[in-house]
Amino acid sequence: MRPKIRVFKVERNSKMVLNKAYFWTSTIKDWIKLLQPESYKQLIIETLKDLVDRKLIKIYAFVIMPNHVHIVWKNIALNGKEMPAASFNKKIAHEILKDLKLNNQKMLQHFMVQEHSRSFRIWQRDALAILMDNRGKLEQKISYIHRNPLQEMWNLVAFSVDYKWSSAKFYHDGIDEFQILTHYMDLL
C-alpha cells in the first residue's frame, strides 16, 4: 500500500516580511548551470553564514543546485534598508560577476542585459517566496529540498545525505558542517 501524499495549496508571496519563515527559490538567469563550481557554492555558504552570524536570518533547510538555490529561512532584521534575501542575491551576483569578468568572458556574455539600472543580470527576476504557515507545508518543502539532488534530471548523488551542499545531513545525523542551520522544530 502506498503512503498517502499530502498536497498543499501553494500561495506565492511576492514580498517577504520579517520574522516569517519562507520556502525561497532563486534561479540563475535562463537556468544556466552557473553554480556548478565548488567556489560558487562555497561563496553562497559564506554569504549565508555572514547573514546568520549577524543575526539577520535563520536557516532551516537549504540546497544549492547547479542553477538554483532553495532555502527555508526567516529574515529576522533588515540589512541596512533591505531584506537579507536581497542582500544575499546582490552579494552573490556581485562576486560571480567579478569572477566572470576576470576568468570567463565567454560565460559572462550570457548574463548581459540592456536594462536601465544594470548591464548584467545573474539571477532571474522575482525569486519565489512561499510562506511556511503550517507544519505540513514546512515538512513537505524541506523534504522536497533534500530530494532535489536525487531527481532524474540532476542525479547528483544516490542518497540525499551524500550531497554536501544541502541540509540533508544535518537532519539525518545532526551534523551542521557549515554552522548555519537551525532545526525547523524551533519554528513550531
Side-chain angles (χ1 to χ4, degrees):
M1 177 183 249
R2 289 183 159 177
K4 187 175 180 183
I5 297 173
R6 296 177 4 166
V7 178
F8 296 92
K9 181 180 174 188
V10 174
E11 297 178 24
R12 293 177 179 238
N13 298 313
S14 59
K15 297 261 184 187
M16 293 173 66
V17 297
L18 292 176
N19 294 307
K20 299 277 186 182
Y22 291 87
F23 169 79
W24 184 82
T25 302
S26 197
T27 305
I28 298 295
K29 180 182 167 287
D30 299 330
W31 290 83
I32 294 171
K33 295 178 182 174
L34 181 65
L35 302 177
Q36 288 181 317
E38 298 272 316
S39 60
Y40 290 172
K41 292 179 184 86
Q42 191 60 44
L43 169 65
I44 289 170
I45 294 296
E46 290 167 5
T47 303
L48 290 172
K49 182 155 179 38
D50 176 62
L51 294 168
V52 167
D53 289 348
R54 292 172 43 214
K55 299 187 183 337
L56 299 176
I57 64 171
K58 281 193 177 187
I59 302 171
Y60 302 99
F62 77 94
V63 67
I64 304 168
M65 299 298 290
N67 61 10
H68 64 284
V69 177
H70 294 299
I71 306 172
V72 173
W73 63 357
K74 184 189 305 183
N75 286 241
I76 298 169
L78 294 177
N79 187 24
K81 294 181 180 181
E82 67 187 4
M83 292 291 277
S87 299
F88 170 82
N89 271 2
K90 280 184 187 178
K91 170 75 173 180
I92 301 304
H94 175 78
E95 294 298 325
I96 289 176
L97 282 172
K98 188 165 65 171
D99 182 64
L100 292 177
K101 287 176 183 176
L102 288 173
N103 300 309
N104 196 341
Q105 289 285 319
K106 187 175 181 181
M107 178 63 82
L108 180 66
Q109 294 172 11
H110 294 287
F111 300 99
M112 293 178 80
V113 293
Q114 294 181 349
E115 296 177 7
H116 174 70
S117 61
R118 69 184 73 217
S119 302
F120 297 95
R121 176 174 293 284
I122 294 294
W123 299 105
Q124 287 187 176
R125 292 178 188 251
D126 301 325
L128 172 67
I130 300 171
L131 181 64
M132 297 289 94
D133 54 3
N134 68 62
R135 181 178 179 166
K137 191 186 296 185
L138 177 64
E139 290 174 345
Q140 178 190 43
K141 293 303 182 190
I142 291 172
S143 178
Y144 174 82
I145 284 171
H146 293 160
R147 287 192 322 262
N148 210 221
L150 307 177
Q151 289 182 7
E152 189 175 332
M153 71 177 291
W154 299 114
N155 203 23
L156 298 174
V157 290
F159 303 99
S160 60
V161 296
D162 294 334
Y163 189 65
K164 177 179 180 174
W165 306 102
S166 98
S167 54
K169 193 170 193 166
F170 172 72
Y171 283 100
H172 184 263
D173 59 19
I175 296 172
D176 181 5
E177 177 181 343
F178 305 114
Q179 300 176 357
I180 61 172
L181 293 163
T182 298
H183 198 284
Y184 80 91
M185 290 299 283
D186 289 355
L187 265 173
L188 306 174

